[in-house]
Amino acid sequence: MRAALQLSALALLPAVLGAALPSTTSGPQFDNGHPIDGNGKGAPLLGGTNRQIDIDNSDNLGKQSTDNGIVPNLKWRFSDSKTRIFRGGWLREQVIQDLPQSHDISAAQQHLSKGAIRELHWHRVAEWGFVYAGSVLISAVDENGKYQVEKLNFGDIWYFPKGVAHTVQGLEDENEFLLVFDDPDFDKVGTTFNVDDWVAHTSRDVVAKNFGLDPSVFDHVPNPNPNIFNGTVSTKNVTGNPDDVLTGNASFVYRTFQHEPEPVPGKGGEFYKIDSTNFPASKTLAATYVKLKPGGLRELHWHPNAEEWLYFHQGTARATVFIGNAAARTFDFSAGDTAAFPDNSG
Ligand SMILES: *[C@@H]1O[C@H](CO)[C@@H](O)[C@H](O)[C@H]1NC(C)=O
Ligand SMILES: *[C@@H]1O[C@H](CO)[C@@H](O)[C@H](O)[C@H]1NC(C)=O
Ligand SMILES: *[C@@H]1O[C@H](CO)[C@@H](O)[C@H](O)[C@H]1NC(C)=O
C-alpha cells in the first residue's frame, strides 16, 4: 500500500511540474510561491511544499533583499497547536516546545460557552488575560482572603499574580480570550494546581474532616479534573466582607478602553499601553494593544529589558527583526499567529 502510494505520487509529479513551471526570467515569483526574484536569483520550488503557506509567507521565500544571515524562526501559529476540547469549551496553547525563542512567555486561546467554567485553580506563575469575544465572570482570591469578582467585556484585562486562586465563567452564548503566562514552560509539572485534583488525591476522610462535612459530600469530585466544564450562570452575587474586595491599585482588572489611546507615530494607527503606570497589579507583564491602518507602521524600536511577545488578532502584518551583526529576517503574520522577538532585537 505504501509503495503504491509513493508510485502514484511520483507518476503525478511530471504533470504537475509541466503545468506550472515558472521561469527565472519572467519577474519575481514569490507571490506564486516560488523563490525567484526575477533578477537572476532563485529557482522554482519543485519538492513537497504547502503552496498556500508559501504564498501567504512569501518573505520566507527570500522576497526581502534586505534580509540576511540566519535568524531562527520567531513565529508560531495557534492553528498548529493541538486543541483540547471539553464540555463547554476548548483550549489551545503555545508553549516553549512550540516556539523555543519565547523564553519568557507562553500563551493560550480559550473558549467558554455560556455558563461554562474554567474550574478553580492557581498557578506557580502569573496569568494575564484579554477578553476578545463575549464576556466572562472572573473570580479570584489571594492568600489573605482578599478577593474580587467582576464581569469583563471586550478589551478588559485581568492579571492574577502567582498563587492567586481563580475561576473564569462564560456569560454570553460564546466567549473567548487570550491567556498569557510569565513562564514559557507552562505544561511543566508544578505549574498549575486544580482544586479538583487536590481533593481527588487526598483521603476522603481527611477532606471531610478538613471542611467539617460528611464524606459523602465528596462522592462526585471529578477525576481527572475536567479543566473546563459546562454549568449555568448564577443569579446570585458572591457575598463577602466588602473590606476584603480588591479595588483601586490592588485590583486584578484593568479595562483597556478606560483611557485614551496614543497615536502611533506617523498617524498609522493607535495603541493603548497597559503597564505598571496604570495597572499596578500587573507586576511582571506590560502590554500594548495596537491597531494599525493598512500601511501603518509601528516605527523602528527595541526593548532594552525584555523580549517582546505578540499575538495577532485580525488582519495581516509584516515585521522585520534585526538580531544584531548583519542578521535580519522578515516575517508575514496573519490572525492567530504568535511571535517572540529577542531581547534588544531591532
Ligand atoms: C453538562 O453536560 C452534561 C452532558 O451533556 C449534561 O448532562 C448536564 O446537564 C450539563 N450541565 C449543565 C449545568 O448544563
Ligand atoms: C448583583 O450585583 C449587581 C452589581 O452590583 C447588581 O446590579 C445586582 O442587582 C446584584 N444582583 C443581586 C441578585 O443581588
Ligand atoms: C496607584 O498607583 C499609581 C501608579 O503606580 C500611583 O501613581 C498612585 O499614587 C497609586 N495610588 C494609590 C492610591 O496608592
Side-chain angles (χ1 to χ4, degrees):
M1 190 58 197
R2 190 182 168 85
L5 276 175
Q6 284 179 356
L7 271 180
S8 66
L10 283 175
L12 277 172
L13 201 54
V16 170
L17 293 183
L21 241 188
S23 149
T24 52
T25 54
S26 56
Q29 296 296 322
F30 302 113
D31 295 341
N32 298 322
H34 291 283
I36 295 173
D37 75 354
N39 220 355
K41 283 192 185 167
L45 203 170
L46 307 185
T49 198
N50 185 320
R51 195 70 72 192
Q52 193 56 51
I53 289 180
D54 293 339
I55 290 169
D56 292 344
N57 296 268
S58 53
D59 289 324
N60 277 347
L61 297 173
K63 188 176 184 178
Q64 303 300 329
S65 59
T66 46
D67 280 3
N68 186 52
I70 307 290
V71 176
N73 178 43
L74 301 175
K75 162 173 156 176
W76 174 263
R77 47 175 86 88
F78 274 126
S79 296
D80 281 329
S81 299
K82 166 77 181 179
T83 306
R84 290 150 65 196
I85 56 175
F86 306 101
R87 238 178 250 299
W90 56 257
L91 170 72
R92 58 181 190 179
E93 297 177 335
Q94 174 253 292
V95 293
I96 193 163
Q97 291 78 7
D98 303 315
L99 181 57
Q101 298 304 318
S102 183
H103 303 99
D104 296 335
I105 283 179
S106 56
Q109 287 177 306
Q110 190 165 76
H111 187 105
L112 297 174
S113 299
K114 187 167 193 163
I117 299 174
R118 172 67 184 96
E119 61 164 322
L120 184 61
H121 67 287
W122 67 95
H123 307 285
R124 187 188 42 77
V125 303
E127 170 178 317
W128 182 102
F130 183 101
V131 179
Y132 58 69
S135 62
V136 298
L137 184 74
I138 59 109
S139 76
V141 60
D142 74 9
E143 69 274 28
N144 301 312
K146 301 273 187 196
Y147 72 97
Q148 193 164 12
V149 182
E150 266 188 66
K151 179 180 175 184
L152 273 59
N153 303 307
F154 180 83
D156 294 345
I157 291 174
W158 70 78
Y159 178 92
F160 300 139
K162 65 181 286 191
V164 166
H166 54 275
T167 62
V168 186
Q169 182 176 38
L171 296 179
E172 306 283 326
D173 283 344
E174 305 297 345
N175 314 276
E176 217 170 288
F177 42 89
L178 177 72
L179 294 169
V180 172
F181 305 97
D182 64 356
D183 186 312
D185 197 5
F186 186 69
D187 292 331
K188 188 168 60 186
V189 171
T191 304
T192 297
F193 302 82
N194 291 293
V195 169
D196 279 341
D197 284 338
W198 194 8
V199 170
H201 296 281
T202 304
S203 147
R204 218 164 50 127
D205 291 341
V206 169
V207 175
K209 191 163 182 182
N210 184 80
F211 290 106
L213 294 169
D214 191 87
S216 65
V217 170
F218 301 97
D219 279 352
H220 302 290
V221 174
N223 184 21
N225 85 74
N227 196 315
I228 291 169
F229 63 91
N230 61 341
T232 49
V233 177
S234 173
T235 52
K236 294 190 208 124
N237 287 336
V238 170
T239 51
N241 185 344
D243 293 343
D244 287 335
V245 175
L246 292 157
T247 57
N249 278 356
S251 173
F252 294 150
V253 173
Y254 186 83
R255 300 181 194 273
T256 300
F257 306 120
Q258 76 186 56
H259 74 260
E260 290 299 311
E262 300 171 45
V264 167
K267 307 238 183 306
E270 55 186 29
F271 71 99
Y272 296 79
K273 192 170 61 180
I274 305 100
D275 63 7
S276 56
T277 62
N278 49 17
F279 190 20
S282 183
K283 290 207 188 319
T284 61
L285 290 162
T288 52
Y289 173 81
V290 182
K291 285 199 284 187
L292 292 178
K293 296 179 191 156
L297 177 72
R298 177 73 180 95
E299 62 177 356
L300 268 68
H301 68 283
W302 73 97
H303 301 286
N305 303 315
E307 279 179 17
E308 174 175 317
W309 182 92
L310 302 97
Y311 160 73
F312 293 85
H313 186 59
Q314 275 179 355
T316 57
R318 175 183 299 147
T320 300
V321 186
F322 164 62
I323 63 164
N325 298 82
R329 176 170 168 185
T330 305
F331 293 87
D332 300 287
F333 293 108
S334 55
D337 288 346
T338 71
F341 296 160
D343 195 339
N344 271 289
S345 62

